[in-house]
């Protein structure tokens, strides 16, 4: 399978680049905007590979030295700009890695490509430093700025770049990818695809994260028997949740998905539409015991609890009260 086929969705961006590369009309500066994990790096890497391939055909051959170097991320003419501090890309880093090296011709390839991930972290000084490079680019230079939003850039940068919005992938495509490429069973794939909301990178990450899956199992255990718990058991559940303190937003999101599934079942009675398709019997029982009104109250309460935890209200009691509140909504 070639690199572009492995990237789901975003067909118009893929078409554009394949044509631009084939016609030798690649621009000097692109912004890929989109949320973390939506595939910006995969796209930039795939296009770089096609551009540098020694057997140009609109697809990377995967066999030439250039393609192999791309796979190992050590192609001398494809520079992944790095930064030391987590929250900022400094002017020094842009000067050292981009501005001061871009005039040196490529070693071997037809292009010299710079990929700046998290480019929204370039401060104004760094953006001004790169601006001149973008204004008067060397013939062979291509710069990819990958960012969560174009809003982070100075207007002078924006006006000189071609901006492409990288879209999240539809749930069904993520689900299929997880099953076919990652060997994940159907029930879990439904859940990960729904939870990641079209973000393939995120779906793959959580599917293989032990930490996430322990937390998910705990939340799932709590929810699927929610109609049966005694209050003292819920106290214990809340106590156990301390282990998931760092992931509590994900925990609460899983709770939201669960009650969303109950609404979906109430209305559609369609198993295919459920994120927790492997817990159908539980959903069927709970659906009869929860009114729409009760589910709305539960959702409000989850949001309220999320806010309290963010404001550092005592963690365990907040969750305990939430669990008890939910339990009492069942009839
Ligand atoms: Zn090649």
């Amino acid at each position: 399978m070639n690199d572009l086929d492995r990237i789901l969705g975003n067909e118009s961006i893929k078409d554009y680049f394949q044509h631009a590369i084939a016609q030798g009309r690649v621009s000097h500066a692109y912004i890929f905007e989109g949320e973390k994990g939506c595939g910006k790096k995969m796209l930039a890497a795939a296009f770089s590979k096609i551009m540098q391939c020694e057997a140009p055909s609109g697809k990377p051959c995967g066999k030439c030295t250039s393609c192999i170097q791309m796979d190992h991320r050590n192609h001398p003419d494809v520079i992944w700009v790095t930064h030391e501090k987590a929250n900022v890309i400094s002017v020094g880093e842009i000067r050292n890695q981009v501005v001061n090296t871009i005039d040196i011709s490529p070693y071997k390839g037809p292009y010299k490509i710079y990929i700046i991930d998290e480019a929204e972290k370039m401060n104004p000084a760094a953006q001004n430093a790169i601006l001149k490079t973008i204004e008067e680019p060397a013939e062979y230079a291509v710069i990819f700025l990958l960012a969560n939003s174009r809003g982070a850039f100075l207007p002078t940068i924006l006006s000189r770049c071609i901006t492409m919005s990288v879209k999240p992938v539809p749930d069904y495509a993520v689900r299929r990818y997880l099953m076919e490429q990652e060997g994940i069973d159907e029930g879990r794939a439904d859940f990960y695809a729904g939870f990641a909301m079209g973000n393939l990178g995120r779906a793959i990450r959580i599917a293989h994260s032990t930490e996430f899956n322990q937390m998910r199992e705990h939340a799932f255990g709590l929810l699927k028997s929610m109609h049966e718990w005694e209050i003292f058991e819920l106290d214990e559940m809340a106590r156990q949740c301390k282990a998931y303190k760092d992931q509590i937003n994900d925990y609460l999101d899983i709770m939201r998905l669960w009650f969303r599934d109950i609404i979906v079942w109430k209305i559609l009675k369609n198993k295919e539409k459920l994120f927790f398709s492997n817990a159908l019997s539980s959903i069927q029982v709970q659906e009869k015991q929860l009114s729409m009104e009760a589910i709305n109250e539960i959702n409000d309460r989850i949001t309220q609890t999320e806010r309290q935890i963010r404001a550092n209200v005592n963690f365990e009691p907040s969750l305990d009260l939430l669990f008890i509140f939910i339990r009492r909504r069942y009839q």
Side-chain angles (χ1 to χ4, degrees):
M1 195 192 280
N2 95 53
D3 295 63
L4 280 185
D5 296 337
R6 213 177 294 150
I7 299 172
L8 310 179
N10 291 297
E11 299 305 326
S12 61
I13 300 180
K14 291 193 260 184
D15 279 353
Y16 164 85
F17 270 97
Q18 284 185 300
H19 284 100
I21 295 167
Q23 295 166 15
R25 290 166 60 187
V26 177
S27 291
H28 291 291
Y30 293 93
I31 293 172
F32 285 179
E33 68 166 354
E35 65 169 297
K36 188 175 160 63
C38 69
K40 303 185 293 279
K41 271 185 284 186
M42 276 167 93
L43 283 167
F47 298 136
S48 303
K49 194 170 175 180
I50 300 172
M51 285 189 254
Q52 303 288 28
C53 179
E54 289 162 28
S57 71
K59 287 185 176 178
C61 74
K63 295 188 195 102
C64 70
T65 319
S66 181
C67 282
I68 291 164
Q69 286 175 323
M70 276 306 297
D71 290 340
H72 293 109
R73 276 230 195 176
N74 60 5
H75 196 294
D77 299 320
V78 179
I79 296 103
W80 293 80
V81 175
T82 58
H83 57 104
E84 253 171 36
K85 288 194 188 142
N87 295 322
V88 66
I89 302 177
S90 70
V91 62
E93 285 161 334
I94 291 298
R95 283 208 188 104
N96 290 337
Q97 297 177 60
V98 185
V99 179
N100 295 345
T101 67
I102 203 159
D103 288 334
I104 305 165
S105 303
Y107 288 96
K108 50 182 285 193
Y111 297 96
K112 187 160 182 176
I113 301 170
Y114 291 84
I115 302 173
I116 308 181
D117 190 23
E118 301 186 306
E120 73 274 5
K121 293 181 178 171
M122 289 194 294
N123 60 25
Q127 291 194 34
N128 277 315
I130 209 167
L131 183 59
K132 193 155 185 325
T133 306
I134 295 177
E135 280 173 335
E136 294 162 22
E139 191 56 31
Y140 47 74
V142 180
I143 298 175
F144 288 106
L145 302 171
L146 316 184
N148 52 18
S149 156
R150 70 181 83 185
F153 297 109
L154 300 172
T156 41
I157 298 260
L158 283 176
S159 64
R160 287 168 179 82
C161 294
I162 295 182
T163 299
M164 310 230 167
S165 294
V166 182
K167 295 276 182 316
V169 179
D171 282 359
Y172 68 85
V174 174
R175 181 175 172 277
R176 201 175 56 211
Y177 186 96
L178 291 175
M179 289 166 65
E180 289 173 5
Q181 306 297 323
E182 304 284 325
I184 287 164
D185 66 69
E186 193 177 357
R188 285 170 61 221
D190 284 344
F191 170 79
Y192 295 131
F195 190 81
M197 291 189 290
N199 185 321
L200 181 64
R202 188 172 185 214
I204 296 172
R205 204 160 51 243
I206 61 176
H208 296 297
S209 157
T210 313
E211 252 191 346
F212 180 90
N213 282 296
Q214 283 169 351
M215 181 274 292
R216 170 185 160 272
E217 282 300 317
H218 191 273
F220 182 57
L222 170 77
L223 292 161
K224 76 172 193 286
S225 304
M226 189 52 107
H227 54 295
E228 294 171 337
W229 294 119
E230 302 290 343
I231 300 301
F232 75 91
E233 292 173 308
L234 292 174
D235 297 342
E236 173 59 18
M237 286 288 202
R239 204 185 57 73
Q240 291 168 4
C241 278
K242 277 198 273 191
Y244 313 115
K245 203 168 176 179
D246 293 342
Q247 305 180 78
I248 196 63
N249 289 336
D250 286 344
Y251 198 103
L252 295 174
D253 277 345
I254 292 173
M255 296 182 74
R256 288 193 181 94
L257 280 187
W258 176 264
F259 292 106
R260 172 242 172 239
D261 262 11
I262 293 181
I263 293 178
V264 167
W265 186 258
K266 259 187 199 307
I267 297 167
L268 299 175
K269 297 276 186 303
N270 181 350
K271 190 181 172 206
E272 307 248 301
K273 303 284 182 199
L274 299 178
F275 295 132
F276 295 93
S277 55
N278 50 357
L280 181 59
S281 57
S282 222
I283 288 172
Q284 285 171 322
V285 172
Q286 294 194 15
E287 182 262 312
K288 295 197 179 70
Q289 299 182 17
L290 284 174
S291 65
M292 277 301 241
E293 196 190 355
I295 296 173
N296 289 335
E297 286 170 6
I298 288 170
N299 280 325
D300 289 347
R301 183 71 188 221
I302 293 173
T303 303
Q304 190 190 333
T305 305
E306 196 173 35
R307 238 180 275 134
Q308 287 171 346
I309 291 172
R310 210 181 301 131
N312 279 321
V313 176
N314 274 343
F315 181 82
E316 190 187 322
S318 305
L319 277 187
D320 196 13
L321 289 174
L322 171 66
F323 296 169
I324 293 168
F325 178 92
I326 295 174
R327 176 68 186 89
R328 294 201 165 131
R329 295 286 144 334
Y330 288 78
Q331 286 160 355

